[in-house]
Amino acid sequence: MAQHRPKVVILAGGKGTRIAEETAVRPKPMVEIGGRPIIWHVMKSYSAHGLNEFVLCLGYLGHKVREYFLSYAYQNADLTIVPDGNVEVHQRNSEPWTITMVDTGVDTMTGGRVERVARYIQDDPYFCL
């Protein structure tokens, strides 16, 4: 029997006011360290331990996080764009992550964010936060 791997819920919706010079144009999770956003490094750490299902609690500039991961999947793959505009993915070179992104509100506090993603973790006996 396969071992259950918990989902990882990441709080990624705050305004990052302590680093306002960086977060005026991008959310804190997207501030880069070594050419990759902070959130990528956090996810990579969990993934190193076999945890590859993520639920991101988005808020402030959450569309930037969505754009990054939507683009990331295509930037790290071999693709063919066919005449009808569809995209065929031939080979993926990105991490084996399943990412659920949920808009949990700009001013929502921690408990409220977790409550708003409950439907994505309700069938799991436990999760990481």
Side-chain angles (χ1 to χ4, degrees):
M1 187 167 138
Q3 178 183 2
H4 172 76
R5 300 276 186 189
K7 289 180 183 167
V8 178
V9 176
I10 298 177
L11 301 171
K15 294 179 182 170
T17 55
R18 288 179 290 218
I19 54 171
E21 63 280 354
E22 289 286 335
T23 58
V25 294
R26 62 182 154 202
K28 183 169 60 173
M30 298 309 297
V31 172
E32 289 191 1
I33 298 174
R36 301 273 190 184
I38 290 171
I39 196 165
W40 182 90
H41 291 283
V42 170
M43 293 167 72
K44 193 74 170 172
S45 294
Y46 278 105
S47 187
H49 297 283
L51 304 177
N52 292 306
E53 283 194 64
F54 299 93
V55 179
L56 307 183
C57 301
L58 304 180
Y60 175 71
L61 297 177
H63 68 281
K64 299 274 188 179
V65 178
R66 288 177 194 268
E67 289 169 1
Y68 175 79
F69 284 111
L70 285 168
S71 174
Y72 183 76
Y74 284 122
Q75 294 296 326
N76 291 286
D78 294 342
L79 309 169
T80 299
I81 301 172
V82 295
D84 66 2
N86 287 323
V87 177
E88 295 176 7
V89 178
H90 303 290
Q91 180 178 346
R92 295 186 190 276
N93 300 311
S94 57
E95 287 70 24
W97 298 342
T98 300
I99 306 169
T100 302
M101 293 177 268
V102 182
D103 181 359
T104 57
V106 174
D107 296 316
T108 308
M109 302 302 284
T110 301
R113 291 189 193 285
V114 174
E115 182 179 37
R116 291 180 186 185
V117 301
R119 67 181 174 262
Y120 299 104
I121 56 175
Q122 68 185 1
D123 295 331
D124 294 288
Y126 52 90
F127 63 94
C128 298
L129 176 66

